[in-house]
Amino acid sequence: MSTIASLPLFHQITGQQVLVLGDGPAAEPKRRLVERAGGVVVDDLARAIDEGVRLAFIAYEDAKACEVAAINARCAGMLVNVVDRPELCDFTTPSILDRDPLLVAIGTGGASAGLAKHVRLRLERVLPQSLGLLARALETARPVLRKRFPDGADRRRAVDAGLREGGALDPFAPDAHAKVPDWAMGTAGQPEAGMVEIVLTSPDPEDLTLRQVRLLGEADVLLIDGAVPPEILARARADAARQVWDGPTQGGPAPTGEPDRPGLTVRLRYCPPT
């Protein structure tokens, strides 16, 4: 199984107090970040401890002061971020691409904030501003979709069909958000079903085709035939059922438990070059 350096989380802090210590140029961006997320900045450690604050940003210019404050805050039960000191951090802050309410967070686990920033700047040019409108439209359409597709797996496959590249709601189409109401009231797309085989000849996920990446992201069941590299499996849905392929008659179980709704099963066959 492939591993990740840290667990990405989106922490809601609206109306909550957050400790920010420091007066230099490194502290001010943290104050702005907290306020932008709806948090209330507290700048006194003793007060933060007394009032049960849970998050702390420490940005003193003096390295020793940072270490002492981090120990005290952590002992009080806070999760701590020390600016430019990843070895003292319980969490790091990513570079954020904002298409409210859609957020793309790019992190390197403290290895290089500059790299994260420049990846974000590239994505800023690629991802349309209308993504936020699309997210809001899908949120509004949720009750309609739940009525049309009471089963969660069916609903997810319908949304996948609409949002895939070239689909009715292709996220890169600037007018996709305007199509959501009619799409939700209509057929809501025809989700792909049945079994599809992917033959892999390379362990490098960069060698996957766009279609293969899409199928891995939409599969309800993965049938693993051979020593499929974990880097490839990491591209699949985390909640997809995974089974070892046991013969040509295996078609994969219905993810919903109903035989008339087979969903999408992907057989992954690894054939490394000899």
Side-chain angles (χ1 to χ4, degrees):
M1 178 184 295
S2 63
T3 60
I4 55 178
S6 56
L7 178 65
L9 300 171
F10 288 89
H11 194 81
Q12 296 182 356
I13 63 169
T14 301
Q16 297 182 18
Q17 295 184 3
V18 177
L19 177 66
V20 182
L21 298 178
D23 298 315
E28 187 57 32
K30 301 304 182 185
R31 288 190 177 87
R32 291 198 301 267
L33 179 64
V34 169
E35 292 169 349
R36 185 179 174 190
V40 179
V41 173
V42 175
D43 58 8
D44 181 83
L45 178 58
R47 174 187 166 189
I49 293 174
D50 289 342
E51 298 184 4
V53 171
R54 297 185 297 169
L55 292 178
F57 291 93
I58 299 172
Y60 289 128
E61 295 185 357
D62 180 75
K64 187 63 177 178
C66 285
E67 294 173 9
V68 172
I71 292 172
N72 290 334
R74 191 173 288 111
C75 288
M78 298 183 211
L79 294 175
V80 175
N81 173 278
V82 181
V83 176
D84 292 333
R85 297 287 299 276
E87 74 279 6
L88 297 179
C89 292
D90 297 311
F91 69 95
T92 57
T93 52
S95 185
I96 298 172
L97 189 155
D98 186 3
R99 298 289 186 270
D100 184 49
L102 186 144
L103 292 176
V104 179
I106 303 160
T108 63
S112 174
L115 174 60
K117 179 182 74 173
H118 282 277
V119 170
R120 174 183 62 79
L121 291 174
R122 296 282 184 91
L123 291 176
E124 286 277 9
R125 299 202 298 264
V126 174
L127 299 181
Q129 291 290 332
S130 57
L131 281 175
L133 296 174
L134 177 59
R136 293 293 188 196
L138 287 168
E139 181 182 32
T140 300
R142 191 178 297 160
V144 177
L145 287 175
R146 283 179 174 164
K147 184 176 181 180
R148 289 188 61 84
F149 299 96
D151 181 82
D154 289 345
R155 189 163 58 249
R156 180 193 55 75
R157 287 192 291 271
V159 173
D160 281 345
L163 292 174
R164 70 167 56 119
E165 184 177 2
L169 306 179
D170 187 331
F172 281 72
D175 61 343
H177 62 282
K179 300 177 181 178
V180 171
D182 290 340
W183 167 83
M185 293 294 294
T187 61
Q190 296 299 320
E192 192 159 357
M195 186 166 74
V196 178
E197 182 180 60
I198 295 178
V199 179
L200 304 167
T201 59
S202 167
D204 188 349
E206 295 298 323
D207 292 332
L208 292 169
T209 67
L210 291 176
R211 179 174 181 271
Q212 289 171 339
V213 171
R214 175 177 63 80
L215 290 171
L216 285 173
E218 297 178 4
D220 299 285
V221 179
L222 295 178
L223 300 180
I224 302 170
D225 186 354
V228 178
E231 294 81 6
I232 300 293
L233 292 174
R235 297 297 179 96
R237 281 175 49 212
D239 61 343
R242 301 186 182 193
Q243 301 177 14
V244 176
W245 169 259
D246 61 7
T249 61
Q250 183 176 4
T256 61
E258 301 175 37
D260 58 338
R261 296 195 209 168
L264 175 62
T265 297
V266 171
R267 174 189 173 192
L268 279 174
R269 185 156 61 92
Y270 184 49
C271 300
T274 57

